Amino acid sequence: APVSHGMLDLTGVQPGPGWQWAVAFFGTFVVLLPATAAMGATLPAMERVTARMGRQGTRIAALYACNTFGAVVGVLGAAFWLVPQFGLVRTAGLCAVLNVLCAVTALKLSSSDTGPGPQPVAPPANQRVLLLLACTGLLGIGYEVLVVRVLSQVAEDTVYTFAMLLAVYLVGSALGAAAYQRWLAATRDAERLLCLQAATCLLGSLSLWGAEEVKQRVLQGLGASMASALAAEAALALAAFGLPTVVMGALFSHLGTQAKAARHGFGRALGFNTLGAAAAPLLFGVLLVPVLGPEFALLLVAAGYLLLSLPHARSAPTWWVTAGATLAVAAWAPPLAFIDVPEGGRVVSYREGAMAAVSVVEDADGVSRLRIDNRQQEGSSATRLADARQALLPLLLHPAPQRALFLGLGTGITAASAAEDATLQVDAVELLPEVIAASAHFTSLLSNGTPNPRLHLMAADARRFVRTTEQRYDVIVSDNFHPARSGSGALYTVEHFQAVRSRLTPHGVFCQWLPLHQLDLDTLRSIVQAFIAVYPQGAAMLATNSLETPVLGLVARADAGRFDLARLREHLGERMRPQQLADFGIADEFALLGGFVAGPQALARFAGDAPVNTDDHTVVAYRAPRITYAPDSLPRDRLSLLLGELDLEPAQLIDVGPDAASAQRLAAYWAARDRFIEAGKNVRPSGDPQRMLSQVRGPLLAVLRISPDFRPAYDPLLRMAVALARTDAAGARALLVELQQAQPLRPDAALALSRLAGAPP
């Protein structure tokens, strides 16, 4: 912990890319140096021990194959069992114990060594082999980085995705080493292997253009389940990594054997190979992909292997065929970018960044959607009301906010809506600069294309920002990050919630939005458990009454106090014009508080004994993918089940005081809301006003009888009455009369009746 805090302080709030990379690389290098140095020395040491024991049959290739197969077991065991079950610290402890056992075994092997002692070593005979080892390490890991980057636009981008990709890469390398040991140990021609490596990397790259088709075929053949989804991702990895990694394993074994024969020693050979590999992520992932795109960077890998095979392999037909195919792909292949464009739609923008590809796609109806890596939708132009409410609701719960922080930007509508308040300064933190650039497409309508001086967009990591900034905020709003993808589960841990609390002012409000349409209830319980560990007096509210994309907010005040109903009523009139708030469904204090669904006691009961999500035990990262891979229920059903487990009394949320009538009205509003949501589950959308009215008339009028304050049941009936008036004036008049009786204080139905009768309003 002290080291991580020191690195955070050294990195700063908004570091430049170069400084951030330098601190991350060298800081991690220093911290991990003892362990990684020992890891790097282990394989050469074992090679030396077995050689001194006179086991000439145990060669570099065999040792490398065994070591890599062990790595496969480690990757799969850690990702699918150890870390989810025991957490990071205990898993690391287990690995340490296993290392001690390996050390004891190695000592016994060494003590039984009866072979000759160290022999005089002649000067190295060939330096070129070390250069080849460094370059092949660079190209091999560069190929891995690029393939993973491309497949992230097709696969689900979960912790299991990356474990599966790495496991297939390692299996291929181990098989290649084993094959070399069995059949190719007598070869002396590295150039042919380099030429073959270029050809297989080109073939693996070509498979990426058909990745979506491969995935769909596997899923159709195996059916919908998490196992079949993982099998589909394994198939993608096998198509891209299978042949190339087999040749990589054989090529490294061959070059390592040549280095030993040239009296360099296996340790030096492994060191040069690993140094080249260490440079690959920076060169290919950070520098080349944003400039050239992944397709040309992949072709550079194949071309690199071809160049290394010169001059000896130039006379081989394989060299010319591979070179010609590489040039043909460069000239005629389409960009290696996956963008789902609906029929009649168009791509508004596409940006390839160092961490992700960000696109804005517009459909035939003019609705624009923002996507990251083509998988993760960050919002659309059709969700402005919901996005704006995610800003307005927490802001209006604070008595007088002056500065707000938004973690995550998405389309930018949420933060931009907050900045419409002339008294508020808004900071918004977004990890991807490409998302910041793309958000201008969505927010330009709010500001007429003019940047809002009160809105400050910052490219930074949300977790690091809240730990390093000295700024305090009246309101902090955290976006509804997809819990299964891109490591977002770390934004739902106890440690992160504690860091957020340290950035709140004494009366500050924190709201963590959660995408219930992307969450199963068991994962939600662990997030709630983490939240109430830091905010025991927290509550929960719905952003909207949507059944298809329900969003739940966990809300807490830094002072753990309750809300003053009268003060909220005054606050609504102070912050924005009443009509503006009514447009977002926040006409009064009852609409503002009407989204709450649970208080502290209900949240504690809901969390139960669920494991808490922490940085050590990252429950969410390993549980959330289940519903991503194989949804077992509809969002509306999960919302209904959730509401059935939660309850709330007005006294838990507000200071009732002498205003008992307002408390009763609020309780009635909540009851009407729950009935409204339940009734909506049975509605089937229709363009026919008569058919829609027959489905919703009775249920919505019943809701209005529970709470005359509940506008969401009033407004759709009013719209249907106006539409019905074109074909059935008598039916429209009857419905309007019922609306007037249900909510006599609202003038809308009376005005519509007057228009229907031809009288002046």
Side-chain angles (χ1 to χ4, degrees), residues 437-710:
S439 67
H441 173 78
F442 298 89
T443 58
S444 58
L445 294 178
L446 293 180
S447 58
N448 296 320
T450 304
N452 190 327
R454 295 183 297 276
L455 177 59
H456 318 288
L457 303 180
M458 295 175 283
D461 177 77
R463 274 180 59 103
R464 187 180 66 241
F465 183 88
V466 296
R467 282 167 167 77
T468 55
T469 183
E470 296 298 323
Q471 181 66 53
R472 295 298 183 99
Y473 294 92
D474 300 305
V475 177
I476 299 179
V477 180
S478 190
D479 198 12
N480 51 338
F481 304 101
H482 195 301
R485 292 182 175 142
S486 305
S488 295
L491 294 167
Y492 300 128
T493 64
V494 170
E495 291 81 359
H496 178 61
F497 290 149
Q498 288 172 336
V500 169
R501 181 163 192 162
S502 69
R503 301 275 73 83
L504 288 172
T505 56
H507 300 290
V509 173
F510 171 51
C511 180
Q512 172 65 71
W513 294 112
L514 299 167
L516 193 58
H517 50 291
Q518 298 165 343
L519 265 174
D520 62 281
L521 294 189
D522 285 343
T523 304
L524 177 61
R525 293 181 206 278
S526 289
I527 296 176
V528 171
Q529 193 80 280
F531 184 80
I532 62 177
V534 181
Y535 307 98
Q537 296 303 311
M541 71 186 310
L542 293 174
T544 67
N545 296 318
S546 171
L547 292 170
E548 304 306 320
T549 56
V551 175
L552 182 74
L554 300 178
V555 183
R557 291 176 51 162
D559 58 8
R562 291 177 295 176
F563 298 106
D564 186 326
L565 205 60
R567 183 69 188 92
L568 288 177
R569 187 181 301 118
E570 296 174 7
H571 183 42
L572 287 172
E574 294 170 354
R575 304 303 296 187
M576 298 178 70
R577 293 193 300 273
Q579 185 54 51
Q580 283 182 298
L581 291 174
D583 291 341
F584 294 108
I586 316 175
D588 52 33
E589 65 273 23
F590 300 105
L592 172 60
L593 298 176
F596 278 93
V597 295
Q601 295 91 336
L603 284 182
R605 286 195 303 271
F606 174 75
D609 59 355
V612 62
N613 191 48
T614 66
D615 286 350
D616 173 45
H617 202 182
T618 52
V619 179
V620 171
Y622 291 92
R623 281 193 172 183
R626 293 178 299 181
I627 201 166
T628 301
Y629 283 118
D632 58 0
S633 59
L634 294 173
R636 59 177 59 200
D637 296 327
R638 294 197 292 277
L639 176 60
S640 182
L641 288 172
L642 175 65
L643 293 178
E645 293 193 43
L646 301 177
D647 60 72
L648 181 61
E649 294 293 331
Q652 298 176 16
L653 193 68
I654 63 172
D655 289 321
V656 176
D659 196 2
S662 293
Q664 292 175 354
R665 288 173 65 184
L666 184 58
Y669 193 103
W670 291 335
R673 187 263 332 278
D674 290 348
R675 178 74 69 85
F676 177 79
I677 291 174
E678 195 63 30
K681 290 173 57 180
N682 302 317
V683 174
R684 299 294 176 263
S686 172
D688 183 351
Q690 286 280 14
R691 183 172 298 176
M692 278 296 295
L693 188 59
S694 66
Q695 295 184 76
V696 304
R697 180 172 186 158
L700 293 187
L701 286 172
V703 167
L704 287 176
R705 295 186 188 101
I706 296 173
S707 170
D709 297 305
F710 191 73

Side-chain angles (χ1 to χ4, degrees), residues 41 44 46 65 70 82 121 193-194 219 298 323-324 430 435 444 487 523 560 585 668 705:
M46 289 304 300
L82 290 173
V121 178
L193 280 175
L194 287 165
L219 291 176
L298 281 164
E430 169 57 46
V435 169
S444 58
T523 304
R705 295 186 188 101

Side-chain angles (χ1 to χ4, degrees), residues 225-363:
S225 68
M226 183 169 177
S228 61
L230 289 173
E233 293 189 343
L236 296 176
L238 190 61
F241 282 144
L243 290 176
T245 55
V246 168
V247 180
M248 286 177 194
L251 179 59
F252 173 76
S253 299
H254 180 71
L255 293 176
T257 303
Q258 281 193 332
K260 183 179 179 182
R263 298 185 294 277
H264 287 292
F266 182 52
R268 180 179 294 181
L270 182 61
F272 271 82
N273 184 260
T274 306
L275 281 176
L282 175 63
L283 176 62
F284 287 95
V286 178
L287 300 178
L288 292 182
V289 166
V291 176
L292 301 178
E295 65 275 10
F296 286 108
L298 281 164
L299 294 177
L300 281 180
V301 171
Y305 282 117
L306 285 175
L307 290 174
L308 291 178
S309 69
L310 293 174
H312 302 293
R314 190 171 55 186
S315 59
T318 307
W319 194 95
W320 290 103
V321 170
T322 305
T326 302
L327 291 174
V329 173
W332 290 297
L336 195 52
F338 297 91
I339 310 175
D340 292 333
V341 182
E343 185 176 354
R346 67 185 183 95
V347 178
V348 177
S349 66
Y350 180 83
R351 294 175 176 86
E352 192 81 55
M355 290 178 283
V358 177
S359 60
V360 177
V361 178
E362 186 177 87
D363 64 19

Side-chain angles (χ1 to χ4, degrees), residues 342 359-363 367-371 377 379-382 442:
S359 60
V360 177
V361 178
E362 186 177 87
D363 64 19
V367 176
S368 298
R369 291 174 173 82
L370 174 64
R371 293 196 185 102
Q377 182 166 311
S380 77
S381 57
F442 298 89

Side-chain angles (χ1 to χ4, degrees), residues 96-162:
V97 171
L98 293 176
N99 273 292
V100 170
L101 294 177
C102 291
V104 172
T105 304
L107 284 173
K108 289 185 176 181
L109 286 174
S110 180
S111 64
S112 63
D113 179 6
T114 58
Q119 301 296 316
V121 178
N126 182 4
Q127 300 293 336
R128 181 173 184 269
V129 67
L130 296 180
L131 176 62
L132 288 176
L133 281 161
C135 291
T136 53
L138 173 72
L139 295 173
I141 297 300
Y143 181 78
E144 180 195 19
V145 168
L146 295 170
V147 169
V148 170
R149 173 63 184 274
V150 173
L151 289 183
S152 66
Q153 301 179 58
V154 181
E156 293 297 340
D157 240 3
T158 72
V159 64
Y160 300 118
T161 301
F162 296 109

